[in-house]
Amino acid sequence: MTTSTRIPSTHGTPGPLKPVVHAMHVALLGLALGSASAHAQAQPETPATAPPASGTTLPTVKVTSRDVTGTGTGPVRGYVAKRSTAGTKTDTPIIETPQSISVVTADRIEAMGATTLKDALSYTPGINSSPWGDDTQYDWIYIRGFDAYSPGFYLDGLALRNAGSWAVWQTENYGTERLEVLRGPSSVLYGQNGPGGIVNVVSKRPTATPQNELQVQLGDPQRRQVAGDFSGPLTESGEWLYRITGLVRDGETSRGLDDDRQFIAPALTWRPSAATNVTLLTQYLRMRVGSDWSSYPAVGTLLPNPNGQIPISTFVGEPDFNRYDQDQWMVGYLAEHKIDDRWTVRQNLRYARFDTDYKTMYNGDFVSKTDPSDPAYFRVMSRTPFGSLEKSRSLVVTTEAEARLQTGPVSHTLLGGLDYQNTRFDIEAHYGGTVAPIDLYAPVYGSPVTLAPAFLNQRTTLSQTGVYVQDQLKFDERWVITIGGRYDNASTETDNHLGGTTNKESDTKFTSRAGIVYLAPAGWAPYASYSESFAPNTTVDPTTGKPFKPQTGQQIEAGVRYQPPGRSETYSAAVFDILRRKYVTWDTTTPPPTPKQTGEVEVRGLELEASMQPIPRMNLLLAYTWIPKADVTESSTPSEIGKQDNAVPENQFSAWTDYRFGGGFKAGLGLRYVGSTYGSKSAALAKIPAYTLFDALIGYDFGRWSLALNARNLGDKVYVANCDGSGSSCSYGTERKVNGTVTYRW
């Protein structure tokens, strides 16, 4: 006999955490009242400890700035990075880069209590960090209105290539030194990618100065995590350095499913001379997460339901079925050698694998037991099971030569590179089967689940070889011109195990970029640029029997940056116009649906970003995005023209501030506003309302200890984040999450 069980509601804050949430409200009131009378002192810094009592001797603590090298990939003390390699692949001041870049530092990630990549980017302009609500398995984001899910993110400048299927490469915030967002098409440097831009995750690397920490985190719901980060020299000469970063988590999602993770990242640096540096980076990640899309019928979320709003705590899957289990490991190196004062050569390589078992439920229709005038009609929903077993292995390698030359009054930073990537995906996917319907207002679990036979069983191999060259020309100490070009050969080979067929598609593409920056006195830097992207299409043209040509992206951008001399502040503004061309749309006017390469999307917008210190010890981050146009301008289906392809709000605004009081206390408050949309494909049955969320921090630093309590969605607001392309299914956003963290450093 099968015993039916119920998953208890996890909505709201558990009793033990209610006092600390109340304390957070009180502390934030104190922040507003006490900041005006605080003593002046530069921030951020290590809080001073109280003087020892008479006769007490404290151990000597060596304090060393984290920003040892001030490089484009190194650690940053505070929230403002002045250099980056993301925009040029050379170590370049951000103010000299003619394209929008945002850098989220490890200190900023820690202060905000961001446990995922999308949380860390939620105060960054141009980013929609929750386009599909509270999904548990992915860091799914939009950049400037375009999907960043595929072709994927970058790790240490090397692609984490996805195939557009259901399993993706994962990253871990605790192992991250900085997150870099390069907005706009960027194929000259990175090969095939989308028109919105890229996210590059920079790993923590060995340090010459010893630094160690142990961390314990308890959170809501049922989050228990232990983490550690240990780094320093292995030899007195500093020739060998090490770092080991890792964590173990036993947790639950907001609907009572597993949220367990183990991560370890050993790293080793060899510096035989001042001219040579080789860093070995490895990592292993094990995820055991219950798959949950927080998706429900539109009637009961976006639209009224006679039974009331569908509870956000309702889980529509089966606890023993829904899962996203992934085992992932990577090994690679970053090698650099300075031949002389002019020439530097580099090679970066990574080999990686993952194995994923993914199972979930898709929403169905209401099961009619009576007529639609009866409330019972809107209670019980059918479900469709889905499962995918996926494996991937990936090899990515980049070899570059950089020359810093002088020709008369012009200085050049010349870069030439060759990169290669090969990623193979094995996929067996099942859609459909049998499972009992579910009462959305009184769910009972324990139904057996049977998956239908596989509808997809194939091996897909994605390969790309690219050659690129770039020159950064600087003259009169005021003008910087960046020009570059790249030629790519990309191929996709698909072995269909069900049909016994093999298909290979190859594309070649040349992309270019150009930009100019004027370094005006007093820290102002206006700029303008043009950039391109491309991504191969795998859909076959039925009239030619060959794959469609690659889809492309073109962007025109103009902006201005301001960095006050001698201050840790930065301000930027950018306007942009992006065209995504040659993507495949489907003509549904006559059966059967026919693919045609007539799609075009145009996105125009404005972005503002500021990171400042209005008064000593206080940080203030502001970001605003205005996108008045993100519409389909060409399509084989005329009804799509003038509508949005992705759900892109016209207005987004965020603000975060934190303050360090005297005596070691700290507090912070954040606000995130996301404007209204009509959902994916503009198909929502009603306008999805705008929403505003609040985040908060209270903490205390003393000696080697740091205590912090972070909350996201402090008011526990229930809101709809998006609706799918059918308009009949909508996703709730993330509920309140509270985490308390204790860190000991030495």
Side-chain angles (χ1 to χ4, degrees), residues 51 96 132 164 205 223 371-372 388-389 429 459 511 543 558 666 698:
E96 296 183 9
W132 290 105
R205 302 173 187 180
R223 182 186 182 93
D371 65 89
S388 181
L389 297 174
R459 169 172 292 179
T511 50
T543 61
K666 57 188 177 183
I698 58 172

Side-chain angles (χ1 to χ4, degrees), residues 22 37 66 109 112 154 178 266 321 336 340 480 550 580 584:
H22 175 71
S37 60
R66 292 186 60 199
I109 293 172
M112 293 180 174
Y154 289 76
R178 58 163 75 185
F321 178 79
E336 180 178 276
D340 53 32
V480 181
R580 177 192 179 195
V584 175

Side-chain angles (χ1 to χ4, degrees), residues 70 77 98 131 137 177 188 208 238 293 321 343 355 417 437 492 501 529 564 568 571 612 654 684 714 731:
R77 188 168 184 249
Q137 59 267 30
E177 192 63 68
V188 167
W293 284 99
F321 178 79
W343 287 92
D355 192 336
T492 303
T501 59
S529 65
S568 183
Y571 307 83
M612 67 187 85
S654 65
L714 182 63
S731 297

Side-chain angles (χ1 to χ4, degrees), residues 572-585:
S572 65
V575 292
F576 58 89
D577 189 323
I578 305 175
L579 281 178
R580 177 192 179 195
R581 289 177 166 150
K582 297 184 179 179
Y583 82 96
V584 175
T585 62

